[in-house]
Amino acid sequence: MSKEQRAQVDAMLRQPRPEGPRSVEAMRAGFEALMAQMIVPGDIRTTRTTLGGRPALHVEPDDRPRAGTILYFHGGGWVFGSPETALSLTGHLVAKTGFEAYSPDYRLAPEHPFPAAIDDALSAYRALLDRGEDPSAIAFAGDSAGGGLAVTTCLAARDAGLPLPAAVVAFSPGLDATRTGASMDTKEGIDPIFTRGAVERTGAMYLAGADPHQPLLSPAVLADLTGFPPMLIQVGTNEILLDDSTRLAARAREAGVDVILDVTADVPHVFQAFAGVLDEADEALDRAALFLRQRVRAGGAARSCTT
């Protein structure tokens, strides 16, 4: 765990940005350029496909595949990002677990606000079930907005009467559209990526006037997590969304859910994307892969949505 590595990542993320609000197109291009710098493992194969009526990226290990599927939801504040921008994360999980993964290209705001992303994510999960995949061999995973989507898709699946997946892994998830977490203010300036103003702007694009006080938008403060599968939540101390994770973990514990809250000191939002550069990123991904291998079992009994 290198202070020098953490300092280099922090400095990279604090590089000067254009003054004033950026257009949606500029935000998307900037995020794509940033994520193109991340290291993607070489021992994977990617294929463009469709899942649940949306384009998707299928990621497979080069060899020694294991039975199991990760449904991975990319980050990007509901406004930018793609399966390709998250490939460093999806690829490392695939390489470390031996499971295949599907990363759906869900619709983005502001063109497609809430609940379009959840609808697309749920359609992707239905497609896996409809083709005969055992829910006990499927895990949801995602980062940032996609980490939030992993949680809210699980809520939507339960409410739709579907069997739930074997596990949920969320990296720095966005889980509170009300923005009431104390870390929104206490971590301002410490967070090298986000400000309250920035997340409120993209959040407003996703909300499009919807009331944020509902479980599918603010599960950290409003969701009933009864019957949820085991969850692993990883987050860094240097992010304004820290309390999204801590409050969801508390709600999960109160609902009798197996939950691991994995907090790493002095690292930024979705630090796992810096695998190969930051020791903490590699170690966190190792822990996530172990969690998935322990929980995803092909041929096991399905978890009932009515638990």
Side-chain angles (χ1 to χ4, degrees), residues 81-198:
S82 69
E84 286 74 22
T85 62
L87 190 54
S88 62
L89 295 159
T90 315
H92 280 292
L93 286 179
V94 166
K96 290 175 181 292
T97 60
F99 300 149
E100 67 175 351
Y102 287 92
S103 185
D105 194 4
Y106 59 86
R107 290 171 293 169
L108 298 175
E111 298 90 341
H112 304 283
F114 171 81
I118 297 172
D119 291 344
D120 290 349
L122 187 61
S123 292
Y125 183 48
R126 285 186 186 274
L128 293 179
L129 298 177
D130 288 348
R131 71 188 194 190
E133 293 209 22
D134 190 328
S136 69
I138 300 171
F140 292 173
D143 64 281
S144 194
L149 193 53
V151 173
T152 53
T153 302
C154 208
L155 283 172
R158 186 192 62 189
D159 293 347
L162 297 176
L164 298 188
V168 174
V169 172
F171 300 142
S172 299
L175 298 163
D176 178 20
T178 70
R179 309 299 181 194
T180 54
S183 59
M184 288 292 300
D185 298 312
T186 61
K187 298 297 181 178
E188 183 93 24
I190 297 170
D191 190 323
I193 301 174
F194 289 143
T195 63
R196 175 185 280 276

Side-chain angles (χ1 to χ4, degrees), residues 41-64:
D43 52 348
I44 59 169
R45 299 189 306 274
T46 61
T47 308
R48 287 183 174 82
T49 184
T50 58
L51 188 68
R54 291 292 302 167
L57 196 65
H58 185 207
V59 187
E60 301 172 277
D62 261 350
D63 57 11
R64 301 186 305 278

Side-chain angles (χ1 to χ4, degrees), residues 153-305:
T153 302
C154 208
L155 283 172
R158 186 192 62 189
D159 293 347
L162 297 176
L164 298 188
V168 174
V169 172
F171 300 142
S172 299
L175 298 163
D176 178 20
T178 70
R179 309 299 181 194
T180 54
S183 59
M184 288 292 300
D185 298 312
T186 61
K187 298 297 181 178
E188 183 93 24
I190 297 170
D191 190 323
I193 301 174
F194 289 143
T195 63
R196 175 185 280 276
V199 296
E200 287 181 345
R201 180 171 180 240
T202 53
M205 293 181 192
Y206 181 55
L207 287 172
D211 182 0
H213 296 87
Q214 51 184 302
L216 289 179
L217 286 168
S218 300
V221 291
L222 293 168
D224 174 7
L225 303 178
T226 301
F228 255 50
M231 303 173 66
L232 170 64
I233 307 166
Q234 291 186 342
V235 66
T237 61
N238 289 8
E239 49 179 310
I240 63 174
L241 298 185
L242 172 61
D243 285 351
D244 287 32
S245 291
T246 59
R247 289 176 298 160
L248 188 84
R251 293 188 75 81
R253 183 178 66 245
E254 290 162 5
V257 176
D258 288 346
V259 58
I260 299 171
L261 176 63
D262 182 353
V263 182
T264 298
D266 298 327
V267 293
H269 186 68
V270 194
F271 67 95
Q272 299 88 344
F274 290 92
V277 173
L278 184 65
D279 290 345
E280 288 87 347
D282 295 296
E283 293 164 4
L285 286 166
D286 284 342
R287 295 193 297 274
L290 175 61
F291 175 83
L292 288 169
R293 290 196 305 269
Q294 289 174 330
R295 298 298 181 177
V296 173
R297 299 205 194 316
R303 176 181 291 268
S304 170
C305 64

